[in-house]
């Protein structure tokens, strides 16, 4: 009998939500195409079920996700061994326990990890995986003001018909939004397998996902045509930012590089990671179009285009966004991510319980609560007729406004 990881790797569409006609991008050809070894740069080729070889060492593919992290030799060997033994769940358990260098929370028990393999919802999975504040972030990403900024920026600088690569994609929130709006060539890369596993199971089951460190040599060949490379709310965490952006520009091949929510180290506050000042960020992407993150959020709420900012205007911003190319002309034939998708069911934001707004925790409240109050009212009373329209995806003016303000959300089916 196949376990949960076997079903996901085989493309079981019950492993997560998908729009009508979607098929998971986890077949062997799609999984391995264009992959190179982060160790020696050689093409990676299948060498058995769930295994790839670069001629010197073998790399595992678990739940349809190639695991190509460097500096984790002992982990790689354990996972390869379990894959050889025909134990995909055992291989997944090893990788689900592996974290990034920033994580300082407690490790989940082996029993909790095993229970996570059978989790029925995203909520249950992040709890069993012991994701703490990161899990809260994933569960309520659809509500926070930085997410509104992502949607606003993506609407203004759309991928159009370009293939998309999202760096540090986490649980696949942006990949899902793009898929629902007609984009098909979508790849996400992240250093933490557990985040990608959540994407595969609950958020973006059809996306191509690769577990690797973007500060090391990339295991992906450029697509051979212009591409769209995005990195949101993550680059400030990474060392060797210059190398990451240089590789992103090379991969994009003249398409576009979008760097969202880059923290300004000149503004005091509890900022994690390794932020730069605005001049430092601009130096990474000379000639970029720049925005204040707060302006992006406001623009989405107002239904307006965000205004680019000069270097002087960015000096006091808390976070900024940079795009390597000017905004394209309007009209790409796809729905804009700053608007809900017609026909998609919307439901009340789970931050509301008994009609009252309740933050998911103090940390979330402290980081996002002040800005979120600008669009999330303290109380809601949604008439039954309006809820019926929302559930049917009928975008009346009232439903559309509440969706823009995140009172109504298009959440994964198994949120």
């Amino acid at each position: 009998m196949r376990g949960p990881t076997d079903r996901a790797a085989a493309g079981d569409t019950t492993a997560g939500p998908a729009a009508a006609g979607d098929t998971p991008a986890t077949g062997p050809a799609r999984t391995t195409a264009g992959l190179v070894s982060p160790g020696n740069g050689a093409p990676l080729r299948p060498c058995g079920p769930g295994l790839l070889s670069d001629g010197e060492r073998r790399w595992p593919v678990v739940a349809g996700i190639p695991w190509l992290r460097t500096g984790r030799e002992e982990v790689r060997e354990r996972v390869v061994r379990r894959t050889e033994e025909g134990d995909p769940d055992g291989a997944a358990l090893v990788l689900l326990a592996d974290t990034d260098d920033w994580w300082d929370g407690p490790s989940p028990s082996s029993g909790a990890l095993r229970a996570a393999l059978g989790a029925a919802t995203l909520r249950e999975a992040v709890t069993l995986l012991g994701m703490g504040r990161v899990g809260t972030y994933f569960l309520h990403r659809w509500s926070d003001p930085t997410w509104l900024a992502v949607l606003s920026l993506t609407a203004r600088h759309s991928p159009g018909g370009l293939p998309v690569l999202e760096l540090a994609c986490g649980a696949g929130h942006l990949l899902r939004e793009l898929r629902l709006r007609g984009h098909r060539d979508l790849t996400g890369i992240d250093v933490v397998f557990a985040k990608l596993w959540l994407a595969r199971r609950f958020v973006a089951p059809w996306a191509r996902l690769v577990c690797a460190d973007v500060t090391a040599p990339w295991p992906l060949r450029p697509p051979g045509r212009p591409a769209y490379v995005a990195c949101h709310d993550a680059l400030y965490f990474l060392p060797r930012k210059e190398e990451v952006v240089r590789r992103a520009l090379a991969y994009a091949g003249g398409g576009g590089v979008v760097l969202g929510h880059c923290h300004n180290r000149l503004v005091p506050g509890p900022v994690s990671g390794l932020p730069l000042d605005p001049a430092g960020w601009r130096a990474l992407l000379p000639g970029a179009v720049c925005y204040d993150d707060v302006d992006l959020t406001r623009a989405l709420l107002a239904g307006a285009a965000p205004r680019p900012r000069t270097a002087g205007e960015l000096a006091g911003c808390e976070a900024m966004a940079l795009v390597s190319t000017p905004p394209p002309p309007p009209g790409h034939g796809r729905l804009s991510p700053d608007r809900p998708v017609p026909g998609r069911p919307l439901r009340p934001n789970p931050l509301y319980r008994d009609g009252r707004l309740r933050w998911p925790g103090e940390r979330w409240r402290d980081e996002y609560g002040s800005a979120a109050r600008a669009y999330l009212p303290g109380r809601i009373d949604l008439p039954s007729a309006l809820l019926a329209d929302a559930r049917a995806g009928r975008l009346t003016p009232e439903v559309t406004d509440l969706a823009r303000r995140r009172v109504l959300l298009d959440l994964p089916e198994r949120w």
Side-chain angles (χ1 to χ4, degrees):
M1 180 180 293
R2 295 187 300 173
T5 52
D6 295 291
R7 290 194 297 270
D12 182 0
T13 56
T14 65
D22 282 349
T23 54
T26 55
R30 170 69 171 153
T31 297
T32 61
L35 289 180
V36 297
S37 169
N40 62 12
L44 288 170
R45 306 187 188 283
C47 62
L51 292 172
L52 303 172
S53 173
D54 61 12
E56 296 178 1
R57 60 184 65 79
R58 290 176 298 172
W59 303 85
V61 180
V62 179
I65 304 167
W67 189 86
L68 305 174
R69 288 192 68 175
T70 56
R72 293 283 206 279
E73 287 302 297
E74 188 270 339
V75 173
R76 182 184 61 79
E77 291 174 359
R78 287 170 61 200
V79 179
V80 166
R81 186 164 59 250
R82 281 163 174 74
T83 303
E84 282 184 310
E85 294 168 351
D87 183 11
D89 284 356
L93 291 174
V94 174
L95 295 183
L96 288 173
D98 194 33
T99 62
D100 59 30
D101 295 334
W102 291 98
W103 180 245
D104 57 2
S107 299
S109 68
S110 58
L113 289 175
R114 186 166 293 279
L117 294 179
T121 64
L122 181 63
R123 302 188 303 283
E124 183 184 3
V126 299
T127 299
L128 290 167
L129 292 173
M131 286 189 154
R133 62 184 183 274
V134 174
T136 301
Y137 171 83
F138 286 156
L139 288 175
H140 300 286
R141 178 65 167 151
W142 290 275
S143 303
D144 75 50
T146 65
W147 178 242
L148 272 65
V150 170
L151 298 180
S152 178
L153 185 63
T154 308
R156 184 61 171 159
H157 295 268
S158 166
L162 301 181
V164 174
L165 171 63
E166 186 182 8
L167 310 179
C169 69
H173 294 71
L174 179 59
L175 300 175
R176 177 179 185 268
E177 294 297 322
L178 292 173
R179 180 70 172 191
L180 293 178
R181 287 160 179 81
H183 300 271
R184 289 295 179 265
D185 193 343
L186 301 169
T187 299
I189 185 169
D190 201 285
V191 74
V192 179
F193 177 83
K195 297 176 182 180
L196 298 172
W197 185 84
L198 292 174
R200 172 69 73 234
R201 293 273 294 169
F202 301 105
V203 182
W206 21 255
R208 185 189 192 195
L209 304 171
V210 178
C211 189
D213 185 351
V214 297
T215 67
W218 288 12
L220 291 165
R221 284 202 195 100
R225 62 189 179 100
Y228 180 97
V229 182
C231 183
H232 293 286
D233 205 358
L235 189 58
Y236 62 91
F237 271 108
L238 302 180
R240 300 188 290 280
K241 296 174 177 58
E242 297 85 355
E243 293 179 28
V244 174
V245 175
R246 176 174 51 79
R247 290 179 180 131
L249 288 166
Y251 188 96
V257 174
V258 180
L259 309 176
H261 197 68
C262 300
H263 281 292
N264 180 2
R265 71 176 179 84
L266 299 180
V267 176
V271 176
S272 302
L274 304 165
L276 304 176
D277 60 24
W281 288 118
R282 290 170 67 92
L284 293 179
L285 212 55
V289 182
C290 299
Y291 300 92
D292 183 333
D293 224 56
V294 171
D295 284 346
L296 290 168
T297 300
R298 289 172 179 162
L300 182 133
L301 292 169
R307 182 172 72 84
R309 295 290 181 172
T310 66
E313 291 174 315
L314 291 167
C317 73
E318 292 185 5
M320 60 185 286
L322 306 90
V323 185
S324 65
T325 57
H332 282 279
R334 290 183 172 88
L335 291 165
S336 175
D338 62 348
R339 300 181 182 88
V341 179
R344 292 282 307 172
L346 299 171
R347 51 178 140 163
N349 190 323
L351 289 177
Y352 288 96
R353 282 174 283 166
D354 299 323
R356 292 187 59 190
L357 179 62
R358 302 178 189 273
W359 305 126
E362 292 183 3
R363 188 183 181 103
W364 201 98
R365 178 202 63 197
D366 293 344
E367 186 166 359
Y368 302 121
S370 177
R373 283 194 180 279
Y375 50 89
L376 291 174
R379 284 182 175 274
I380 60 170
D381 182 12
L382 303 178
S384 57
L386 185 147
L387 285 173
D389 285 335
R391 291 178 183 129
R394 291 190 288 268
L395 300 183
T396 66
E398 294 83 3
V399 168
T400 300
D401 178 63
L402 290 171
R404 187 188 301 277
R405 294 166 55 201
R406 322 314 285 171
V407 174
L408 294 173
L409 296 176
D410 182 348
L411 293 173
E413 179 183 347
R414 295 198 295 153
W415 180 86

